[in-house]
Amino acid sequence: MLEQFKVGHDEAEFVPGDTLKSTVAGIFRQLGVPDGDAELGADVLVLADLRGVDSHGVSNMLRSYVSGYQDGSINPRPDWRVIRETPSTATVDSDRGLGTIITPKAMNIAIEKARNVGVGMVAIGNARHLGMASYHSMLALEHDMIGVCMTSCPPSVLPTFGAEPRLGTNPIAVAVPTGEEAAFVFDAATSSVAVNKIRIAQRLGADIPAGWLAEADGTPIMEERQAPDNYWLLPVGGSREGGSHKGYGLSCVVDILAGVLTGFGYGAVPGRPNFGHYVAAYSVDAFTDVSHFKQEMDEWVRMMNATAPAPGHDRVIVAGQPEAEMEAIRRDEGIPLHPEVSQSIRDICAELGVACGF
Amino acid sequence: MLEQFKVGHDEAEFVPGDTLKSTVAGIFRQLGVPDGDAELGADVLVLADLRGVDSHGVSNMLRSYVSGYQDGSINPRPDWRVIRETPSTATVDSDRGLGTIITPKAMNIAIEKARNVGVGMVAIGNARHLGMASYHSMLALEHDMIGVCMTSCPPSVLPTFGAEPRLGTNPIAVAVPTGEEAAFVFDAATSSVAVNKIRIAQRLGADIPAGWLAEADGTPIMEERQAPDNYWLLPVGGSREGGSHKGYGLSCVVDILAGVLTGFGYGAVPGRPNFGHYVAAYSVDAFTDVSHFKQEMDEWVRMMNATAPAPGHDRVIVAGQPEAEMEAIRRDEGIPLHPEVSQSIRDICAELGVACGF
């Protein structure tokens, strides 16, 4: 049934990543974003598309970023700065800058600190949406570091036993360097599912699996059926018996580290438009020999891949592998955009007077 | 149905925490553990009992620790040492010492580093079982720090789509200081459920919920029914559609940070008896004002508690609250030990020639 959620290959228009990136950068520039920042923001969005993380790519995020710049809720030229600092930590005031652009800079601070003292950790407040969290964690890889990124989002998810949303989808991303194998790149919301999967299921009239949603009164829906018109997201695990207290607790950890710890509030604070971020870099060399670590990561990945599969499955995969495979395909074939999406980008370009590259 | 898994209150023998602790410390001493270490190990076990985490208390763990000391797999007088170090990190060789005793010492190293440079992080290899992971993370609280603990365990959990166990129950614990409210203390396996809950269900003939187990061939059991005789644990989420790739990925993160990063191998390495640990302390003061942070944590906890409950539930709780409530009760009433458990402790005492305090 999950297959139904994939974009149809035949109907798509294929756009090269670089073409899409230069088009998006042009849009950002036209909205007042400085050149280098515009390139960086476009790079984050397009890497999501290249890796098959369409939920965080151009199709799903660009329109809201454009609106945010236009209505003033996102600051195109933020005076972001470090407001507190130790040898291994920093706290950043984003000045309402787009997280997509400021978070990589914060990650570079974390990487520099990790190079100097072993670990670097940066909390980022007064922030806006950061795009695909794994983009930021993956910046650590080329430095032989483990990268972590979390983001505290506006509330859409029920706490276990609750009937009102108190937590965001609050993802956790962790990237780990390897030798020859694809890097380990975990990036997942602590909610059961992304809300756009529900919208697609509703549009198609498809059933949703047990444990994805709660009724409007907070009762978890624990059988496969049509999504109701009014619903809330659940923490991963679905119901308490399915382990939702684990998803709920991890989501709380994200809300604390990427929210309360920033000093700029947490996801459910009324009126915060409403993101805080957290990035960290751990130098592998600080803990153990880097080449031994990478060899053992390769061995570990191959061990997982060599696991006998359960009936109905042909292989066991490791986080980051499907995305690396998709990236290889899309760097070759281009990014498949649904006709509605490519038209919507052309519309934005026309509206702003920007050249569209496709 | 989960109610059936609780120990019956009426049949229990109530033993004061201090009595149980001195008895357990006496057992450790008789097995060759130095005085201070024996006290520390007993403190870790008994705090689990006091907080209602019976799975990691005396009843469930003491016998295996005694066997480990007796068969030589656990070293009672380990020459543990820091083998690599930076201002914010250390790597410890446990010399086969019990994690229950060495992990608090590693956490103290992390806390000292966090005091000096903002964050401290210690990977611990060549290790043995560490007891309740939250014990170690909670050591950070009195220093106004956030504490983290993970442990890479021997394989018992299937990777998503797999038919062979490759990962341990691999818990994650995070403790966060508050002001007046109970500290936030999250401590959960990344598996769907602890194996002893399955054993209890089998003994009682009770059904288990969907998503807890897979058949021996790896097929997730996605309806409520009796547990099969042969089964594997699943990652939290149960099946892929329920989000098991999230539990699987988080379990991998634990296996990497608490396993590969130690330099002493990961959970599924054949022959490793088979634990690695990871602890970290983050100084709140390094990021933001401590008193503001604690006030906001109180506000955040109260916001969660004030969430309207779903039908059939009377309140929304935060991780650490039920344990704090249980600790208050058990420090008053004593720890309820099942008669089989209290007898088993007396048997161990008799076998070793140690005075039993109850």
Side-chain angles (χ1 to χ4, degrees):
Chain A
M1 194 211 57
L2 287 168
E3 290 305 307
Q4 296 178 5
F5 296 157
K6 292 185 178 163
V7 178
H9 197 271
D10 293 341
E11 58 185 343
E13 178 175 354
F14 285 77
V15 177
D18 286 345
T19 306
L20 186 58
K21 190 174 150 184
S22 61
T23 302
V24 171
I27 292 169
F28 281 147
R29 273 194 300 271
Q30 192 67 10
L31 291 161
V33 178
D35 285 359
D37 283 4
E39 291 287 327
L40 180 55
D43 194 54
V44 177
L45 280 177
V46 172
L47 189 71
D49 286 307
L50 285 168
R51 288 174 64 83
V53 187
D54 300 347
S55 57
H56 288 71
V58 173
S59 61
N60 214 41
M61 298 313 309
L62 182 62
R63 174 58 75 182
S64 81
Y65 292 173
V66 170
S67 301
Y69 282 121
Q70 288 178 323
D71 70 19
S73 61
I74 308 176
N75 181 355
R77 294 180 174 268
D79 179 24
W80 71 273
R81 61 207 167 85
V82 173
I83 55 172
R84 200 169 179 114
E85 193 167 20
T86 73
S88 72
T89 70
T91 307
V92 165
D93 176 347
S94 281
D95 191 26
R96 300 182 298 109
L98 191 62
T100 311
I101 292 166
I102 291 179
T103 313
K105 301 179 186 192
M107 190 62 177
N108 285 333
I109 295 172
I111 288 166
E112 186 60 26
K113 288 177 180 289
R115 186 180 334 237
N116 292 334
V117 295
V119 172
M121 202 169 276
V122 182
I124 306 153
N126 198 14
R128 299 298 180 266
H129 193 271
L130 59 47
M132 178 176 71
S134 52
Y135 182 96
H136 314 294
S137 59
M138 289 169 70
L139 292 175
L141 295 174
E142 67 179 297
H143 304 280
D144 292 335
M145 294 182 186
I146 295 170
V148 179
C149 179
M150 304 180 192
T151 176
S152 154
C153 310
S156 59
V157 180
L158 299 182
T160 296
F161 301 154
E164 296 173 288
R166 289 287 184 252
L167 293 157
T169 53
N170 293 7
I172 300 172
V174 181
V176 181
T178 48
E180 297 169 359
E181 298 294 326
F184 175 87
V185 182
F186 174 74
D187 184 354
T190 50
S191 58
S192 54
V193 68
V195 74
N196 59 357
K197 285 198 182 167
I198 309 296
R199 293 194 189 120
I200 294 168
Q202 286 177 321
R203 203 172 66 208
L204 298 173
D207 284 349
I208 54 155
W212 277 19
L213 296 182
E215 303 279 6
D217 72 358
T219 304
I221 298 171
M222 296 311 291
E223 73 279 354
E224 186 167 321
R225 45 162 276 203
Q226 301 267 311
D229 291 335
N230 297 306
Y231 57 80
W232 301 114
L233 294 181
L234 289 168
V236 65
S239 66
R240 172 64 178 78
E241 290 196 341
S244 69
H245 55 302
K246 303 184 182 196
Y248 165 40
L250 287 164
S251 183
C252 289
V253 169
V254 175
D255 207 32
I256 293 166
L257 292 179
V260 182
L261 193 63
T262 70
F264 288 88
Y266 44 90
V269 172
R272 177 160 79 96
N274 217 348
F275 295 91
H277 314 306
Y278 165 98
V279 290
Y282 314 158
S283 163
V284 170
D285 182 64
F287 291 96
T288 191
D289 178 75
V290 172
S291 67
H292 177 261
F293 178 88
K294 288 181 169 182
Q295 279 170 23
E296 194 159 283
M297 280 302 301
D298 283 347
E299 175 192 300
W300 179 91
V301 168
R302 289 167 191 152
M303 179 266 301
M304 289 293 178
N305 288 159
T307 305
H313 300 286
D314 55 5
R315 62 172 185 155
V316 172
I317 51 180
V318 172
Q321 286 183 327
E323 293 83 1
E325 291 169 10
M326 183 63 86
E327 186 175 343
I329 293 169
R330 290 190 173 179
R331 284 199 186 274
D332 185 44
E333 291 185 355
I335 295 164
L337 296 180
H338 190 283
E340 284 176 21
V341 171
S342 50
Q343 188 54 48
S344 129
I345 298 170
R346 288 190 191 100
D347 290 346
I348 292 171
C349 287
E351 177 191 325
L352 295 173
V354 172
C356 183
F358 55 93
Chain B
M1 194 212 57
L2 287 168
E3 291 304 306
Q4 296 178 5
F5 295 157
K6 291 185 180 163
V7 178
H9 198 272
D10 292 340
E11 57 185 344
E13 178 175 354
F14 285 77
V15 177
D18 286 346
T19 305
L20 187 59
K21 189 175 150 183
S22 62
T23 301
V24 171
I27 291 169
F28 281 147
R29 273 195 300 271
Q30 191 67 9
L31 290 161
V33 178
D35 285 0
D37 283 5
E39 291 287 328
L40 180 55
D43 194 54
V44 176
L45 281 177
V46 172
L47 189 72
D49 285 306
L50 286 168
R51 288 174 64 83
V53 187
D54 299 349
S55 58
H56 287 71
V58 174
S59 61
N60 214 42
M61 297 313 309
L62 182 62
R63 174 57 76 180
S64 81
Y65 292 175
V66 170
S67 301
Y69 281 122
Q70 287 177 325
D71 70 18
S73 63
I74 309 176
N75 182 356
R77 294 178 175 270
D79 179 24
W80 72 272
R81 62 208 168 85
V82 172
I83 55 173
R84 202 169 179 114
E85 193 167 18
T86 72
S88 73
T89 71
T91 306
V92 165
D93 177 348
S94 280
D95 192 27
R96 299 181 300 108
L98 191 61
T100 311
I101 292 166
I102 292 179
T103 313
K105 302 179 187 193
M107 189 61 177
N108 285 333
I109 295 172
I111 289 166
E112 186 60 25
K113 287 178 181 289
R115 192 185 336 269
N116 292 334
V117 295
V119 172
M121 202 169 276
V122 182
I124 306 154
N126 197 14
R128 299 298 179 266
H129 194 271
L130 59 47
M132 177 177 70
S134 52
Y135 182 96
H136 314 294
S137 60
M138 288 168 70
L139 293 175
L141 295 175
E142 67 179 299
H143 304 280
D144 292 337
M145 294 181 186
I146 295 170
V148 180
C149 179
M150 304 180 192
T151 176
S152 153
C153 309
S156 59
V157 180
L158 300 181
T160 295
F161 301 154
E164 296 174 287
R166 289 289 184 251
L167 293 157
T169 51
N170 292 7
I172 299 171
V174 180
V176 181
T178 47
E180 297 169 0
E181 298 295 325
F184 175 87
V185 182
F186 174 75
D187 184 355
T190 50
S191 59
S192 55
V193 68
V195 74
N196 59 358
K197 285 199 182 167
I198 310 296
R199 293 194 190 120
I200 295 169
Q202 286 177 320
R203 203 172 67 209
L204 298 173
D207 285 350
I208 54 155
W212 276 19
L213 296 182
E215 303 279 6
D217 72 357
T219 304
I221 298 172
M222 296 311 291
E223 73 277 355
E224 185 167 321
R225 44 161 277 203
Q226 301 267 310
D229 292 335
N230 297 305
Y231 57 81
W232 302 114
L233 294 181
L234 289 168
V236 66
S239 66
R240 172 65 179 79
E241 289 196 342
S244 69
H245 55 300
K246 303 185 183 196
Y248 165 40
L250 288 165
S251 184
C252 290
V253 170
V254 175
D255 207 32
I256 293 167
L257 293 179
V260 182
L261 193 62
T262 70
F264 288 88
Y266 43 91
V269 172
R272 176 159 79 96
N274 217 350
F275 294 91
H277 313 306
Y278 165 98
V279 289
Y282 314 157
S283 163
V284 170
D285 182 64
F287 292 95
T288 191
D289 179 74
V290 172
S291 66
H292 177 261
F293 178 87
K294 288 181 169 183
Q295 278 170 22
E296 193 158 284
M297 280 302 300
D298 283 346
E299 174 191 301
W300 179 91
V301 168
R302 290 168 190 153
M303 179 266 302
M304 289 293 178
N305 289 159
T307 305
H313 300 285
D314 55 5
R315 62 173 186 155
V316 172
I317 51 180
V318 172
Q321 286 183 326
E323 293 83 2
E325 291 169 10
M326 183 64 84
E327 187 176 344
I329 293 169
R330 290 190 172 180
R331 284 198 186 274
D332 184 43
E333 290 185 356
I335 295 164
L337 296 180
H338 190 282
E340 285 177 20
V341 171
S342 51
Q343 188 54 48
S344 130
I345 298 170
R346 289 190 190 99
D347 291 347
I348 292 171
C349 288
E351 178 190 324
L352 296 174
V354 172
C356 184
F358 55 92

